[in-house]
Every structure is written in C-alpha cells, then in structure tokens.
Amino acid sequence: MPAPIRLRELIRTIRTARTQAEEREMIQKECAAIRSSFREEDNTYRCRNVAKLLYMHMLGYPAHFGQLECLKLIASQKFTDKRIGYLGAMLLLDERQDVHLLMTNCIKNDLNHSTQYVQGLALCTLGCMGSSEMCRDLAGEVEKLLKTSNSYLRKKAALCAVHVIRKVPELMEMFLPATKNLLSEKNHGECELVPQLVRILKNLIMSGYSPEHDVSGISDPFLQVRILRLLRILGKSDDDSSEAMNDILAQVATNTETSKNVGNAILYETVLTIMDIKSESGLRVLAINILGRFLLNNDKNIRYVALTSLLKTVQTDHNAVQRHRSTIVDCLKDLDVSIKRRAMELSFALVNGNNIRGMMKELLYFLDSCDPEFKADCASGVFLAAEKYAPSKRWHIDTIMRVLTTAGSYVRDDSVPNLIQLITNSVEMHAYTVQRLYKALLDDISQQPLVQVASWCIGEYGDLLVSGQCEEEEPIQVTEDEVLDVLEGLLVSNLSAAVTRGYSLTAIMKLSTRFSGVNRIKKVVSIYGSSIDVELQQRAVEYNALFKKYDHMRANPNPNVAVITIHASNSTEADMTDFVFQAAVPKVSRPNPAQIIKCLCFEVLIHGFGLRMRIKLTYTLKGSPVQDLAEVNNFPPQSWQ
Amino acid sequence: MEMQFMLLFSRQGKLRLQKWYVPLSDKERKKISRDLVQTILARKPKMCSFLEWRDLKIVYKRYASLYFCCAVEDQDNELITLEIIHRYVELLDKYFGSVCELDIIFNFEKAYFILDEFLLGGEAQETSKKNVLKAIEQADLLQEEAEAPRSVLEEIGLT
C-alpha cells in the first residue's frame, strides 16, 4: 500500500482541475483512499489524511467520516497529531452531536499535560466549542490554570473561563476568587476594581513606547478598549463607580490621537462607555461632540458608527444631538446606503416644531431622489412628522400632496384611511384639497394611494369642486360630467387596483346626492351590477337598491338625513367570513325608526339631538367567531346639526 | 468582544478559512457562508466596511485578493474589530514573509494555528505581536521535533 499523498501535493493536484466535475472526481478518489486508510487503523498517516480531509471540507465536500479520526488524533501522544486533531474537532464536530463528548476526557488530560503548548491547544478548543456539559466537567481544571504562574496559560485560561461562564452562568461563583487575583485585588467588592482599572488605563495612555504592544503610536489599543468595556459594565447602574471614572474617561477622550483608525476605535469605545454609565452631563456632551466630529471624518466607517451611536442617544440627549443637525442632514446625500438610512432615521428623530419647515424641505428632496427601498419608510416618516408639527393646515395638505405625487406608489396601505381622516378634519381646506387632488388625477392615475384618496375626496366634496369655491388658489372650472369622466376612467383603467375601483364606484355613488345629473350615475352603477369583480358587483347591487327603495329621500334632500359610509378592511392574513355590521341609535319619537341595512352605507334619522351610535361587529376569523362592541359619539357636529 | 465567526474568502467566493465561535450545524454554516459571501461580494468598493446582516454586525476588509470578514454582536465596537483583522493580517504577513493568498491556500492549517494563538473564544488573548509569533515558533519547533524519526534520535543516544 503506497503512502498516502502529502497534503500540499493534494492541494496542488486539486487546483489543476479545470471543471467542477473534474474536481469532484479527484476528491472522490482521494476520499476513497482516505477511507480505506482509516479502516486499516493506520497511525502513521492518520494526521496527513485528516489534514487532507479538512482541506476538502473547506471546499464544501462532506467529511463527517473523519470525526472519530480526529478524536484518535487528539488522544495520540504526538504533538503534530494533537494539533491537527484539535483543529479537526473544531471544524468537523459541533456540540449538538454526542460524539463531541468523547473529547472531554482527552481535553482533561491535556489540560494537565507537561507541555504548555498542549495545554494551550486544549484550552483553545474548550474555549471555542465547549458545550455546557463539557464546560461543567472541566471547569475545575480551567479554574486551576487561572492560578498558574505561567502567564501564557493564564491568559488562555481566562478567556476559556469566559466561555465556560457564558455556557454555564452558575459557575461564575467558582471563578470569582481567581479573577480578583488576576487583578491583584486584595479587597472584596466591585467598587474597588474601578480605581484599579483607572490606574491601569492611566498608565497605558501615559506610558512610553512599547513597540510590540502598540499600534500606530497608541499603547496597546486592544487592552485599552477592553478596560473601557469593563468600566462600562461596572459603571452601568452604579453612581459611585461612574463618578470614579469620569476623569479618566475625559482624559482618554481628549488625549487620544485621532489620525488613524485605531485612535478613533478607542474614542468610539470611550463614547460607548460614557453613554452607558451614569455620567455627568458635561461628559455626555463631550461624547456627543466627539460623534459630531466623527461625522465630518473622511472615513465613511467612522461616519457610519457616529450615526449609529447618535441614533441610540437622540432620545436621551436630544438637545446635544440637535446641534449637529445640519451635518446629519448632509449625510442624506452620502453614497453609502447604510449611512443614508441612518441619516434618514436620525433626521426624523430630530424634527421638531422649530425646524419642521427646513427639515421637511430636505427630507422631501431626499424622498424624491432616494432609492426605492427607502421610499416607504421615508413617506411614513414624513406623514408622522407633518401630523405632529405642521405649522399650518395648508402646509400639511401641501406636504401630503407632495408625498403622494412623488412617492405615491410606495406609501403604505394604512396611510390612506389616515389621510382621509386628516382631510376630513381640516374643514376649511376641503375645497383646496379636492381641487389639488383632482388636478393630480388629471396628470397621473397610476399611483394607487393617491388615486384612492383623491376618489374619496371627490366623492365627498365634489360639490365644492364644481362650484369653484376654492380660496387658497385659483379655482378651476370643472363640470359635473368632467368629474364623472375622471371617476369612470378610474373604473375602467388597467392601472387601477380592485380596491381603487371600489373607492371610485362609491365616490360616484356619493355624488348622486351632490350632483344634479343623477341619471348618468344610475346608469354606471347598474352596469357594474353585473361586474365580474364580486366586490364591485355587491356594491353596485346595493347602490342600485338605494336608488330603487330610497329614492324618495333623495328627491327632497332631507337635511335630517345623514349618509354615513363605513369602510371595513381585513388586514389579517386569514379570511374573514360572515361579517355583520350593526348600528343602533337612541330611539327618538319619530314615526320612521332608524333603518339598519346590512351593507356598506346606511342612513340614519336624527332629531337634532347629538348623534350617538352604538355599533356591533361580528365576523368569523379562522373558524372562530369574533364580536366587537363600541360606541361612537364623536360625529362632527355638522353631520347632525 | 463577542465575535461569532470569521471567514476568509477570495474574490470568486471560495472559502479559504472559516472559524466559528458559536455552535452551528454544518448545514447552517454552509448557508450562512454562502449568503454572506454573496452579500459582501455584491458591495461596491466605495461602501463602508460595516453592514447589518440578520441580527449581526458584519465587519469586513479586503486585503489584496482576500476578504476578511467577521461577525460581531450588536454592542461590539466595529472600529476595533477592523484593528483585530488588521493585526491578524500583520501576524500572517510576519509569519509567511509578505503573505499572499497562495500561502493561505497551501498552509491553511498554519493560518488556523496563528489565529488560535491570537484569538481564543472570539476574543484577543495576546496583544503583543512578538509574543504571538514567538508562541507559534515554539509550537512549530515542537512539531518538528515530534516528527524527527526515532532512529535518528536513538542513534545519537537521545531517546
């Protein structure tokens, strides 16, 4: 049996393969050879074979048949075997398989080996992939090594202990005494640790040049960051500790050289620490100013972390962050997608009553030019901000119009009812709104949310539109027929979604009480009584019924008749069936009691009292019946007065 | 610093090293590697070295033809992770003498050994470059001694 080929030779051979198929063939051939070698329990070449297997595994080929061989290598006395064996274990075994538990005994022996490099291998493997059972079994050995005088092993044992504690938190008690010794701390109590750490950190920044530890002139940045991290944990909920570290944090913040990334890394960790502990306000402002400086850095990585951190602190340190608003807004124009997103989120967080006009200008410009992935969030953000801080109703409506026309197809579905509500409440702007929406429809009927809101408005305020009552801008001349043309156009257009068609049919119907040309409307509605679209058909049929049965009410437009349309939509993922909407009003002594109709619009007779209504919804969702009761008593007074 | 994993891959997406510090099955590892490698290779050179991916922060940097990519947790410091990557590259460079991708391909096990002397459980165990390299040197020596044929040792009476 010839000796198995060497690792490097195999790598060279495999790399000569010109196709995937050729490579697969070579691999299969070699795997077969390796398998038979394993079967023969060959000790001499096991190491070489496993190494080759690991290479093939990295290329993506299965190597599970080598798992037990790794265990045999770990158990071997040869250092080479152990090295490859442990490497194989870390690559091929995972703690979810029982096989890995077989390692426990070997690791235990190796933790007590006479050669520190073998002990190191064991510690490394345990710290990398030790399961909770293994950690529990071997915690004692690790704890012993924490107390060794060998610094090489102590460091490894410390990090291994960290892993053990993460896996089995109850074991923390066991490691506490040893840990305190590591910091050569004689007293007990956490607060003593802080001055100790402060001293160490101070020495680090003041100390001279130590070539092997330093990076670009900064002493041991990894250690500095680690200490800062530890200070962060200690000071988190502790006032005294936080106070004790104030000075050193300020010192690190002001003395660290920032020309290279490593200096900024330390500054960044300092900022994170200041933000997390109970620091005084001056220190927090210092931290935010550091972040503000980061925003101006040429290095986009630094700008990125600055925006991320500012986003986290904008709620708690709002005023300090506001000072950097213009820099943040500039980041909206950054080329990097992640930076743009953060800048957008931060910008929305910074909008308030004072800066709304300026900020909105920038954000609307951003909405115009940003990638599609941002548009939905940006549009929602604009609506929210406008609702909270709009300086005037006209400005508010204009802003909404701008969003609907520039990003209309990205607006979220729930914005439509919200916008309708908003428009309803802006009574004095009705004429202006419906006019602007009508004009927008003439330009473009492809953006569904815009079309839906516009349809609803026209249905509701169509009378204002044709009577040319607009005060805010030059009223346009439009006839009833032109309006109906537009709405009917929506019904037939391919661009209209089913929901949109529903909106426009209802709008047409509503205009039958506002326009004089009722016959045309009657005709349209009856056509759709036989529409293929079930939703439209149902509406049309019910509207037809209204024409037939309640036409007498229409003939004498009765100011005591209020038409209320409800829109109900199912936003769950399951189907809803047996939907029943019932409404009742207080009984009044009138000959014609209130009528309740099981359809989408109904009429209610009122007597000049306030309109109060009790509603009851019942439906079946996912097979189970649901019932909801409520009382509505905030009808706008105009509807019943 | 809770590093979850480190991947090294070429510009064609071939994996050259994968170090996992969290327990995951082979299948999960393969899926993560594939997805992440595609995501990073799709990034343009002007984009920053950090991105959010699933619930992790990814820090990556390209050195010549190799991408070095680490996944860290939400509260970790991305800037220092870049330094960790850089330190690892320096160690490889010192060890191999002007390291290139071929060195990592043909000596992948050494690349792992060096990484394991620098990071343990995902955290930096030794911040002195010299000490890491010294440890590797000693371990390599130990390996050579172990491989020396026994007959030679017996010959010179050193068994």
Side-chain angles (χ1 to χ4, degrees), chain A residues 237-457:
Chain A
S237 348
D238 193 298
D239 285 320
D240 291 328
S241 303
S242 300
E243 209 187 305
M245 39 178 108
N246 257 322
D247 283 344
I248 191 67
L249 289 174
Q251 209 172 355
V252 175
T254 39
N255 286 347
T256 307
E257 174 71 44
T258 59
S259 54
K260 297 268 173 63
N261 180 63
V262 64
N264 286 319
I266 295 178
L267 270 185
Y268 180 47
E269 191 71 38
T270 312
V271 167
L272 290 175
T273 301
I274 293 175
M275 287 318 188
D276 250 7
I277 65 172
K278 297 188 174 290
S279 44
E280 52 174 37
S281 63
L283 201 54
R284 292 181 82 87
V285 170
L286 179 62
I288 293 187
N289 288 344
I290 292 177
L291 293 177
R293 273 205 315 273
F294 274 5
L295 281 179
L296 300 166
N297 197 306
N298 284 333
D299 186 340
K300 50 185 148 21
N301 292 332
I302 309 249
R303 293 203 298 275
Y304 177 93
V305 302
L307 284 170
T308 310
S309 302
L310 284 170
L311 200 50
K312 289 194 189 134
T313 69
V314 70
Q315 301 305 333
T316 45
D317 297 276
H318 193 88
N319 292 335
V321 180
Q322 278 283 1
R323 262 179 246 138
H324 303 278
R325 195 178 65 241
S326 53
T327 324
I328 291 169
V329 167
D330 279 342
C331 290
L332 285 172
K333 307 187 181 88
D334 204 295
L335 292 163
D336 185 296
V337 160
S338 319
I339 290 183
K340 274 206 273 236
R341 176 165 286 280
R342 272 166 181 61
M344 180 183 82
E345 286 171 17
L346 203 42
S347 298
F348 279 121
L350 289 175
V351 170
N352 62 27
N354 293 330
N355 58 35
I356 178 79
R357 283 188 197 265
M359 286 296 275
M360 201 50 87
K361 221 163 75 178
E362 299 283 350
L363 288 165
L364 286 172
Y365 179 74
F366 176 69
L367 181 63
D368 268 340
S369 53
C370 69
D371 296 329
E373 62 183 287
F374 289 117
K375 289 209 199 244
D377 290 331
C378 190
S380 299
V382 168
F383 285 148
L384 269 167
E387 209 175 303
K388 280 217 290 245
Y389 302 111
S392 74
K393 288 235 153 81
R394 161 91 189 254
W395 182 95
H396 197 169
I397 302 280
D398 283 342
T399 304
I400 293 175
M401 288 296 307
R402 176 85 182 267
V403 174
L404 285 178
T405 48
T406 54
S409 22
Y410 298 98
V411 159
R412 281 200 244 281
D413 290 337
D414 61 358
S415 314
V416 173
N418 289 342
L419 288 174
I420 290 177
Q421 173 100 23
L422 182 69
I423 293 171
T424 314
N425 291 338
S426 318
V427 177
E428 63 276 21
M429 304 298 302
H430 285 165
Y432 173 68
T433 310
V434 69
Q435 178 161 299
R436 285 213 57 190
L437 283 168
Y438 178 77
K439 284 201 280 195
L441 271 191
L442 292 176
D443 272 336
D444 174 16
I445 59 168
S446 66
Q447 305 196 80
Q448 299 304 294
L450 172 63
V451 175
Q452 287 164 16
V453 175
S455 303
W456 186 90
C457 273

Side-chain angles (χ1 to χ4, degrees), chain A residues 8 58 80 83 96 117 152 155-156 166 220 226 229 261 265 268-269 300-301 336 342, chain B residues 16 25 28 46 48-49 52 76-77 83 106 109 117 123-127 138 140 143 147:
Chain A
R8 318 252 179 268
M58 184 141 64
T80 321
R83 250 186 157 182
R96 264 94 66 88
Y117 297 107
Y152 172 78
K155 289 182 203 182
K156 290 188 193 275
R166 277 204 201 113
D220 209 338
R226 191 74 74 65
R229 194 41 125 56
N261 180 63
Y268 180 47
E269 191 71 38
K300 50 185 148 21
N301 292 332
D336 185 296
R342 272 166 181 61
Chain B
R16 299 299 180 206
S25 71
E28 287 165 322
K46 282 214 187 298
C48 62
S49 299
E52 264 140 32
D76 289 328
N77 181 335
E83 291 300 318
F106 279 93
E109 83 277 16
E117 279 302 324
E123 312 222 12
Q125 55 182 288
E126 176 58 69
T127 54
Q138 301 280 46
D140 281 350
Q143 186 168 325
E147 281 172 0

